Amino acid sequence: MTPRYGRLLVVPAVLVAILAIWIAASLRSSSTGRDRPDATEGGGAPAPPLPGGLEEIRRLRHGDPAKAAERCRPLLGSGDAAEREAARKLYPEILNALYAKKVRDWKYAEAEKIFLELDADFPGTQEAGWVRVAWRDDRLRWARKASEDGDWRTAERLFAAILAGEPPASGWQYLDAYRDYLLRRRDGAVRAGEAAAAAMYLEEAAGVIADPSGSTPVHDILRREGRAESLMARARELAASKRPAAALTWMNVAREKIEQERVWEKHPDFVGLYERCALDVAAEMRAGRLRTAPRERIDEFYRAASGSADPARRLEAREGVLDARIEEGVARLKKGEYARAEESFKRALGPDVAHLWEAQLQNPAFDPWPEVPIAVQDAIREKTAGRDEAARRAELTQMIRAGEFVPTHARLRTAFEALPELYAAWGVQLLEQGNVAAAVERMRGVLRRGSAEAPGPARRCVESLQASLKRALETRDMGRIFDLAGFYVSEVGLPATGDPFRADFRSSLAAAAEGLRTESPIKLLFILSLVDQCFPGEPEGRAAREEVLVKGLDAVRNQPKQPATGEIHQPSGLEGISGVSVSNMTEYHILVLYEGPERFFVRLNPRRKGTVVMKDGTYRVGVIVAADHVAPYREESTYASETYWESYVITASGGPRDSSSLLDTGREAWGDFVLLRTPENVRVRVDPKMGLVSPAK
């Protein structure tokens, strides 16, 4: 047969040789071992001179690191303390340069000795750290070269060390290299007529990378040499001997042969065996017994059984997907991969648990209803009136698929426990990077669900906020002070008397008030409201309160009057006294100003609820949002010994953003109604859940 080629580019042989030399040199110099220039230290300052003959040795270390090492080694035990200390600092640098040179010269055995010396004698130096990382990749290059050269003993030793240790920085390529080594051993055994050894190496190679795609070199060998009957027979033997990855490889090719030979009737056990092996591979990957591929590929094996006709295997697959996803999220959290960890947890808490519930609902013995809210149960009963339990379960399944009911599960406990750790660590990182908006979105749920009194995620958030606010004060960053101070008061509270942070907080408010006075009159009002709340009995607090009232009422006076809200109301049971229960459904602080029989204002924190108690009468009401792009709101309302309910939302552009936090409360106001203010000498009770005002008992 004549080979077919595409367009052939003819290149002079000398150019090919030059190109090959250049590529080889590039590869040899790609080691991540650091071979630093000697010009300067400390960002440009000349390196200080070294005692004795060490200065000349230092100059040698890049041009001739072997000679530099030879001359420096005896000085490590020098009787002169200064010279000995300088030699111990210089010697790791020399070994680092010597290591890089040995790797460039393909002298890996000598490079290994240098790595071992650095790792044993100078483990805490940065040079040892650099070489430790470099060695993982350089060892893989050496193993490949030994494999290509037929140096089986060296290749076997190196691959054993690679498989037992931390993977190379270059990623999962080492598995491809190990599989190629095994296939080379197999080819050698075939040439030598050693059939048993050839089979052993092929099966070992098949188990290195569990790849359901059927596109590996092992698959190609089996396609050339196997038939359906023999492939399936060996797959059954491999499965029985607890080698599921190799069994799957044989079965992937067997499936193609069965299709070609049209002999499905001879292999009725194929589907069940394939699903069982896929589940076993996934379980071994999760347990770390099968270093085959990134954990993300576990899904591929669970999916092979997630639609099984066998209810037990289907349930096992979907439970496995959920458990593996949570493990993946926890692993990513530990690595500091916060966005990817959140992605894993979102999938676990969303589609993965939903799919598990669907599988469980098909089991008549599973009772879902204790975990289903009463309102959802009532809706299902109404839709399936007169029908049986199967119809109700089918309706529940449809609600899960449509997102109308988000189920939970006992297996999610680990995910829920990890979420505060995730968002605290992520929020602290974002705050250090200067991204205040993203940081507080992630911290809010942590602070609302945890206590800062004890060590834990909430405490770390508080400490980070305090440190960031201090830095903002030092740099006179008014915008940052405004954002942080408001969030701190909203989610942590005002610093108590005696709290060491109280003085810093007060200074921050004073600096922000001064800076925002001309920059943003609206934001100034909110800073002044914090001053009033922090120091109500002091002249500074009283002055701030009066300024907020005067300037706040003036800011809303020219706004168009809106129709009165608060259409839902109920008698308060208090003669001459009314209450307004407010839900702030925005992500901003809001000021609500009242002018009538009484003149006052209240500040409501983002996504919170509060109740205002006042004397009956007609009031001019103004609402100001702590954002320059949101226009103030004005209405006139009459209150007559009743409790009214108000909700404030932002409908204009620039309104609330959807938070990505799984701990956040979305756009709803969160928590209980709290009493924000009451007329002097009036004692009332506020129902924390409903916000209803009644006489105090």
Side-chain angles (χ1 to χ4, degrees):
M1 180 185 299
T2 303
R4 291 179 297 170
Y5 297 95
R7 182 175 299 175
L8 184 64
L9 177 63
V10 179
V11 181
V14 66
L15 184 56
V16 172
I18 292 171
L19 184 61
I21 292 170
W22 178 80
I23 292 173
S26 298
L27 289 173
R28 287 198 299 272
S29 64
S30 63
S31 166
T32 55
R34 294 277 298 273
D35 190 11
R36 298 175 299 167
D38 190 36
T40 58
E41 294 180 3
L50 296 177
L54 285 170
E55 186 60 38
E56 183 181 350
I57 294 174
R58 177 163 61 182
R59 288 193 292 270
L60 269 177
R61 78 181 188 271
H62 295 299
D64 192 346
K67 182 179 289 187
E70 181 182 347
R71 293 178 58 179
C72 186
R73 194 175 292 115
L75 299 180
L76 297 175
S78 171
D80 182 82
E83 188 175 52
R84 184 171 62 250
E85 182 63 24
R88 288 193 61 81
K89 290 181 179 179
L90 178 61
Y91 191 60
E93 298 179 19
I94 295 171
L95 291 183
N96 178 61
L98 184 57
Y99 173 89
K101 185 176 188 305
K102 296 299 183 185
V103 168
R104 286 195 299 270
D105 294 340
W106 299 97
K107 295 180 179 179
Y108 289 114
E110 295 179 33
E112 182 180 34
K113 292 178 182 177
I114 297 168
F115 156 67
L116 293 173
E117 183 180 359
L118 262 174
D119 200 49
D121 298 340
F122 305 91
T125 62
Q126 59 183 355
E127 288 81 10
W130 293 333
V131 172
R132 196 175 296 121
V133 173
W135 177 241
R136 296 207 303 268
D137 281 322
D138 293 332
R139 180 173 55 188
L140 175 58
R141 296 187 184 96
W142 186 12
R144 280 177 168 156
K145 186 175 186 302
S147 174
E148 293 166 0
D149 295 344
D151 183 357
W152 306 132
R153 179 176 297 180
T154 299
E156 186 173 2
R157 176 179 72 83
L158 293 171
F159 278 120
I162 290 169
L163 293 171
E166 189 176 353
S170 56
W172 293 91
Q173 298 172 7
Y174 75 98
L175 292 173
D176 291 317
Y178 181 54
R179 182 187 57 199
D180 292 344
Y181 155 73
L182 292 170
L183 291 178
R184 285 192 177 93
R185 297 295 302 266
R186 183 252 180 197
D187 292 343
V190 169
R191 288 192 297 271
E194 299 170 354
M200 179 192 70
Y201 286 124
L202 183 62
E203 289 168 8
E204 188 72 20
V208 171
I209 300 179
D211 189 342
S213 68
S215 59
T216 71
V218 178
H219 290 90
D220 295 337
I221 292 171
L222 294 176
R223 287 188 184 99
R224 292 194 302 269
E225 301 179 3
R227 293 185 60 82
E229 189 66 34
S230 62
L231 290 168
M232 277 303 298
R234 188 55 186 151
R236 294 184 186 101
E237 293 171 356
L238 290 167
S241 62
K242 305 299 182 184
R243 300 179 64 186
L248 280 180
T249 301
W250 260 252
M251 293 182 73
N252 278 321
V253 180
R255 176 164 43 199
E256 299 174 12
K257 297 293 184 178
I258 291 170
E259 291 282 0
Q260 294 169 6
E261 299 170 23
R262 299 184 180 182
V263 289
W264 276 113
E265 71 282 355
K266 294 183 179 181
H267 307 286
D269 62 335
F270 181 92
V271 173
L273 184 62
Y274 192 93
E275 291 173 351
R276 182 69 266 153
C277 287
L279 290 172
D280 289 346
V281 166
E284 289 201 3
M285 291 175 73
R286 283 178 53 201
R289 292 190 298 269
L290 190 65
R291 297 184 65 169
T292 57
R295 287 182 59 88
E296 287 83 347
R297 297 197 61 183
I298 290 176
D299 271 11
E300 299 179 40
F301 299 98
Y302 278 127
R303 278 200 300 269
S306 63
S308 175
D310 182 328
R313 279 200 295 268
R314 183 169 62 246
L315 182 60
E316 181 182 351
R318 297 189 181 186
E319 287 177 342
V321 167
L322 180 60
D323 292 344
R325 190 84 65 206
I326 294 171
E327 291 167 2
E328 176 186 78
V330 171
R332 288 173 167 178
L333 169 57
K334 290 179 179 177
K335 293 179 182 177
E337 299 173 352
Y338 303 130
R340 299 185 72 210
E342 182 190 54
E343 177 189 340
S344 297
F345 290 133
K346 279 185 175 180
R347 291 184 66 182
L349 298 171
D352 291 343
V353 72
H355 293 155
L356 175 55
W357 262 64
E358 289 178 25
Q360 290 176 317
L361 285 170
Q362 295 173 29
N363 177 10
F366 172 66
D367 181 10
W369 304 113
E371 303 295 332
V372 180
I374 298 298
V376 175
Q377 294 187 44
D378 291 343
I380 290 173
R381 276 193 290 268
E382 184 178 342
K383 289 183 179 180
T384 60
R387 297 162 67 190
D388 60 7
E389 172 69 8
R392 288 192 290 275
R393 287 172 176 256
E395 182 60 33
L396 179 58
T397 300
Q398 288 303 316
M399 292 182 73
I400 291 172
R401 289 174 178 170
E404 298 171 12
F405 167 56
V406 180
T408 187
H409 198 280
R411 304 177 97 90
L412 296 175
R413 173 187 283 184
T414 301
F416 286 126
E417 290 174 350
L419 289 178
E421 293 287 345
L422 166 64
Y423 288 117
W426 198 359
V428 169
Q429 181 190 75
L430 289 166
L431 203 54
E432 290 173 350
Q433 294 169 351
N435 192 342
V436 176
V440 299
E441 282 186 359
R442 284 152 182 84
M443 288 183 174
R444 178 177 286 114
V446 178
L447 292 168
R448 290 189 176 185
R449 286 165 173 79
S451 170
E453 299 302 317
R459 168 80 69 83
R460 292 197 295 274
C461 288
V462 170
E463 291 172 350
S464 177
L465 288 166
Q466 291 179 350
S468 186
L469 198 52
K470 289 178 183 178
R471 287 194 298 271
L473 178 60
E474 292 170 359
T475 59
R476 311 294 291 180
D477 187 338
M478 298 302 117
R480 191 181 180 92
I481 292 175
F482 175 82
D483 292 336
L484 290 172
F487 180 76
Y488 193 93
V489 170
S490 169
E491 306 304 338
V492 182
L494 291 166
T497 302
D499 184 341
F501 181 62
R502 184 177 173 88
D504 291 315
F505 190 76
R506 183 171 190 159
S507 298
S508 298
L509 296 182
E514 180 185 349
L516 293 171
R517 192 163 293 280
T518 56
E519 182 180 319
S520 175
I522 292 294
K523 290 182 177 179
L524 170 65
L525 295 179
F526 284 88
I527 290 295
L528 293 174
S529 75
L530 295 180
V531 175
D532 166 42
Q533 188 175 349
C534 251
F535 317 105
E538 300 181 25
E540 185 181 356
R542 290 193 293 270
R545 185 185 318 126
E546 185 60 26
E547 186 172 353
V548 171
L549 281 169
V550 171
K551 293 185 175 180
L553 290 170
D554 187 59
V556 301
R557 188 165 287 117
N558 295 326
Q559 295 295 321
K561 187 168 70 173
Q562 304 295 330
T565 57
E567 296 176 355
I568 302 175
H569 47 89
Q570 187 169 326
S572 66
L574 292 158
E575 185 176 352
I577 298 295
S578 290
V580 179
S581 287
V582 181
S583 294
N584 178 8
M585 299 172 69
T586 79
E587 65 182 53
Y588 302 105
H589 291 264
I590 61 173
L591 285 177
V592 187
L593 303 105
Y594 295 87
E595 187 176 32
E598 294 187 272
R599 180 170 171 268
F600 62 90
F601 71 87
V602 294
R603 191 193 73 257
L604 196 59
N605 295 328
R607 298 176 189 159
R608 289 288 194 177
K609 304 172 185 177
T611 300
V612 181
V613 177
M614 68 196 75
K615 295 178 181 178
D616 286 351
T618 299
Y619 286 82
R620 290 178 292 279
V621 182
V623 182
I624 299 176
V625 176
D628 291 324
H629 65 275
V630 182
Y633 169 90
R634 180 172 74 95
E635 68 175 32
E636 190 171 285
S637 296
T638 299
Y639 305 110
S641 301
E642 293 183 302
T643 300
Y644 299 80
W645 282 267
E646 305 266 15
S647 293
Y648 293 109
V649 297
I650 298 175
T651 56
S653 62
R657 299 183 298 272
D658 287 329
S659 170
S660 61
S661 170
L662 291 168
L663 290 178
D664 210 346
T665 55
R667 298 190 180 194
E668 298 297 322
W670 187 88
D672 294 336
F673 283 95
V674 297
L675 182 62
L676 298 176
R677 69 88 62 185
T678 185
E680 190 174 355
N681 299 324
V682 174
R683 297 178 64 247
V684 300
R685 177 183 178 274
V686 176
D687 182 275
K689 301 302 179 187
M690 301 297 296
L692 182 66
V693 175
S694 59
K697 295 181 180 179

